[in-house]
Amino acid sequence: MSRLQDKVILITGAAGGIGRAAALRCAAEGARVAALDRTESGLEETIVAIEGTGGSAMPVMADVTQSAAVRDALAHVTGAWGRLDGVFNTVGISGRRWGDGPVDECTEEGWARVIDTNLTSMFLVCKYAVPALLASGGGAIVN
């Protein structure tokens, strides 16, 4: 039996990069993967890749910087699969790209976007995931 057999794992940033790799690995280990991202095309590619290897995945479209979107996404996952066993927060953006470069060139809006994406999103996902994890008997969060 695989380590994550029948566990429900939510992975943010699942449309590409580390998030996609984590989603594929968790599915290969037997997890049902709730693949969350705001990029629909990349998310579809992740789902197709998981299902192509016989894995189970659900796409979840949400902007993790928005409280209501995160709350609704977690409710959707637990409503569909009845539980949540783990979360892997991989969402992140580069300060170089979104923060406008070196600190003396960074706009306040760029800085706010980096903070919202890299920090606030993790807080919000944890905030709404912890009750679901506890209701399922516990679990793990990787930020």
Side-chain angles (χ1 to χ4, degrees):
M1 179 177 281
S2 297
R3 292 184 293 177
L4 299 177
Q5 192 65 42
D6 298 323
K7 301 288 186 187
V8 174
I9 309 295
L10 173 74
I11 300 175
T12 67
I18 295 169
R20 178 177 288 162
L24 291 167
R25 183 62 188 180
C26 287
E29 291 287 339
R32 292 180 283 166
V33 175
L36 188 150
D37 208 290
R38 64 180 181 182
T39 306
E40 188 172 6
S41 61
L43 193 55
E44 288 176 20
E45 291 172 15
T46 300
I47 298 300
V48 167
I50 290 171
E51 291 177 345
T53 61
S56 177
M58 146 192 337
V60 182
M61 291 290 300
D63 179 346
V64 290
T65 68
Q66 302 299 311
S67 183
V70 175
R71 183 193 64 229
D72 293 348
L74 266 293
H76 175 72
V77 171
T78 58
W81 281 340
R83 62 182 300 111
L84 183 67
D85 301 293
V87 175
F88 190 13
N89 276 312
T90 72
V91 169
I93 59 174
S94 167
R96 269 260 193 247
R97 179 171 178 202
W98 298 104
D100 305 316
V103 70
D104 61 326
E105 297 175 19
C106 183
T107 64
E108 291 178 28
E109 293 80 16
W111 176 250
R113 183 170 179 156
V114 169
I115 294 299
D116 281 348
T117 302
N118 295 356
L119 298 177
T120 302
S121 69
M122 278 194 261
F123 162 74
L124 291 173
V125 172
C126 290
K127 175 181 174 58
Y128 293 108
V130 165
L133 290 167
L134 293 174
S136 299
I141 298 174
V142 176
N143 290 321

